[in-house]
Amino acid sequence: MALGLALVLSSCGDGKSSGGAGSGAKSEVIAIAADPLDYINPLNENGSPGIQVAQAVFAPLVATDPNTGKTVNVMAESVTPDKTSQTWTIKLKSGNTFQNGQALTAKDYVDSWNLTAQGSTAWKNNGFFSKVEGYDAMNPPTPDGATPKPTSVKTLSGLKQIDDLTFSVKLKVPFSQFGLTLQYLGLAPLPEEVRKNPDAYKRKPIGNGAFKLDGAWNPGDDIKLVKWDGYKGPNAPEADAITFRFIPNADTAYNEFLAGNVDFVDVPPTKIKTFKTDAPDGWVTATSSGANYLTMPAWDPRYKNPKLRHAFSMAIDRKAFADLVGLATPSNGLVSPDMDGYRPDACKYCTFDPTAAKQLLAEAGGFSGAVNINYNTTSATGQIFAEAIGNMLRQNLGLTVKYTGKQGSEITQLADTRKLDGLRFSGWGHDYPSIEDYLTPMFKSNGDANFSGYNNPELDKVLAQGDAEPNPEKAIKLYQQAEDIALEDMPLIPLYAKQNAYLHSAKIMPRVSKYTGVQALYSTFK
């Protein structure tokens, strides 16, 4: 799942757990229930595990203030749109450097963004620059799932360096949300030596954030970071050292916390009913800004008819499935409930109605063959959730269902190359607080997280209208129209939103904010 990290605090324990790990008064070990990272590069990462590490090593241009919810400058001195919100001027604060001592300049942003916008680079955040003038020349039409060939054009025409600390961005059309997007770490700069040979620095990143790599790091190892004294940005974390420990099995990660070997861990779905008694004074629950879906493969003609997708959706008992997930509520739209613009009943095909589902399936001409549901074998509940959905499709639609378990990274790779057979689970959480960030990445034809391979020019057109609308309330109305189009086409079937739960050791209290959520990186030490 590609999930952002913003969360909203709901309730918490008093933080007096007997757990704890790490050496030194201000060190902490953060468990991440995922396969180990192969590299650290925020420009080529949009998954939660990599983003968590990148947040420590790299600093954004702007950020959301955890106390007020307002956008504040970090590396940026100012971010100024013109009257139309089409051309934006970004001025950097002076005196900032990378962790190798190189001064941080406007050229670093311009060159890093151009490198990412080059389609042949095949970095995951390429699509973020699709709104910038000149993007199309660097990303020629390419067969779905293929990597674009190198082009003679190597720079975005809309990206201009003005002086050492100032650059401008001209967009194809006005985009009133652009200033908010600058807090996304996919826009982080890379120093010159890394840009010249990115592969050589896959496992020895040079960032501009509050922490740097502590010694050598090889795939599979813990990622050990120490505070970097050169960081001059606001809101530096309190920790002196942080270790990210990757444990593929979420239950194992949870047990490592109970054994006192880590300081912070997500509570897996299998422990939702027991975590409060397992760590009675060291838990936090929070309503996630993530939304969770069942993803349909647009590349498979058997799933082409929207009525079939509507049938699948109405055959799912979301209340029963949310109860199985735990701390979850059924979804009736594509957007997280805590976003401005969320509508509680946006989806008219999300009501559980087996009779209507059967009728829609008949009108679609039925389904040929077996429905294959792919699940992540490293998740303790992956097969359980897949079989729950499969049983509903089998019982309520009379379909034949099979299941395929693979590692999450393999499922993603197959889907990205349009070779995945069947359905899979996916999720998303915003990278910046806007309803637009739930729509553009997943439903725009070239979106970075277009899990299903969906393409609808009409939706692209309405999104562009929303982007160009300077009035926030009017822009939300247009984005809601785009959501309606996506819900009618239903490349992703909404499933649930949930509360996330975390355990923390007695020596720390994670930062909690209704604006930026629960963050172990910004823990207070006792």
Side-chain angles (χ1 to χ4, degrees), residues 1 18 37 116 148 159 163 206 263 269 300 362 385 424 435 455 467 525:
M1 292 185 178
S18 60
L37 295 180
T116 311
L159 202 54
D163 57 39
I206 300 173
D263 293 297
D300 187 335
F385 291 172
R424 66 165 171 155
I435 184 177
N455 186 341
D467 293 347
F525 285 75

Side-chain angles (χ1 to χ4, degrees), residues 221-520:
D221 292 348
D222 291 348
I223 297 178
K224 297 181 179 181
L225 307 175
V226 294
K227 182 172 286 186
W228 177 51
D229 292 336
Y231 177 69
K232 299 179 181 179
N235 298 321
E238 189 175 312
D240 297 313
I242 291 177
T243 297
F244 288 98
R245 181 163 297 164
F246 289 81
I247 305 172
N249 185 285
D251 283 355
T252 302
Y254 184 87
N255 290 333
E256 283 291 287
F257 173 86
L258 296 182
N261 297 325
V262 301
D263 293 297
F264 184 88
V265 68
D266 287 20
V267 174
T270 54
K271 305 298 182 181
I272 289 300
K273 299 187 188 311
T274 63
F275 74 90
K276 291 182 181 180
T277 54
D278 289 342
D281 300 315
W283 56 267
V284 175
T285 60
T287 301
S288 170
S289 289
N292 296 273
Y293 316 95
L294 185 65
T295 303
M296 316 292 279
W299 54 88
D300 187 335
R302 296 181 299 166
Y303 296 91
K304 184 176 182 179
N305 193 319
K307 287 188 176 182
L308 180 139
R309 301 194 289 272
H310 300 161
F312 278 36
S313 179
M314 297 188 77
I316 295 172
D317 184 343
R318 285 171 176 76
K319 176 63 168 62
F321 190 71
D323 289 344
L324 176 65
V325 172
L327 292 179
T329 56
S331 287
N332 286 294
L334 299 169
V335 177
S336 173
D338 63 320
M339 285 290 98
D340 285 343
Y342 166 78
R343 295 168 294 165
D345 297 307
C347 178
K348 61 183 178 182
Y349 303 110
C350 292
T351 301
F352 178 49
D353 190 337
T355 301
K358 288 178 182 177
Q359 179 64 35
L360 285 166
L361 182 63
E363 293 175 6
F367 186 83
S368 175
V371 176
N372 186 37
I373 302 179
N374 297 274
Y375 65 90
N376 185 351
T377 55
T378 61
S379 167
T381 56
Q383 185 173 353
I384 295 171
F385 291 172
E387 290 179 351
I389 294 294
N391 286 336
M392 293 177 190
L393 297 179
R394 179 175 54 81
Q395 294 169 4
N396 299 324
L397 294 177
L399 298 172
T400 301
V401 182
K402 64 179 183 179
Y403 309 95
T404 301
K406 298 179 182 295
Q407 284 197 335
S409 56
E410 185 178 357
I411 293 173
T412 299
Q413 176 62 27
L414 288 169
D416 287 347
T417 55
R418 309 312 185 214
K419 296 176 182 177
L420 186 70
D421 172 29
L423 315 181
R424 66 165 171 155
F425 296 99
S426 62
W428 187 255
H430 67 262
D431 298 298
Y432 46 90
S434 170
I435 184 177
E436 179 269 339
D437 193 41
Y438 286 85
L439 300 171
T440 297
M442 290 186 290
F443 302 104
K444 191 176 180 181
S445 57
N446 61 352
D448 287 324
N450 191 330
F451 304 125
S452 65
Y454 171 68
N455 186 341
N456 186 332
E458 180 61 25
L459 182 140
D460 289 353
K461 178 181 177 181
V462 175
L463 278 178
Q465 292 172 345
D467 293 347
E469 174 54 60
N471 181 291
E473 293 182 359
K474 292 181 179 178
I476 284 175
K477 294 291 185 184
L478 288 163
Y479 292 135
Q480 289 172 336
Q481 290 180 29
E483 183 186 11
D484 289 340
I485 294 171
L487 284 168
E488 189 66 33
D489 291 342
M490 201 162 272
L492 305 183
I493 295 176
L495 290 179
Y496 64 92
K498 63 171 295 188
Q499 281 191 321
N500 290 328
Y502 310 88
L503 302 185
H504 61 86
S505 69
K507 72 177 183 181
I508 66 168
M509 183 62 196
R511 185 171 77 184
V512 290
S513 162
K514 68 178 183 179
Y515 304 111
T516 59
V518 178
Q519 296 174 300

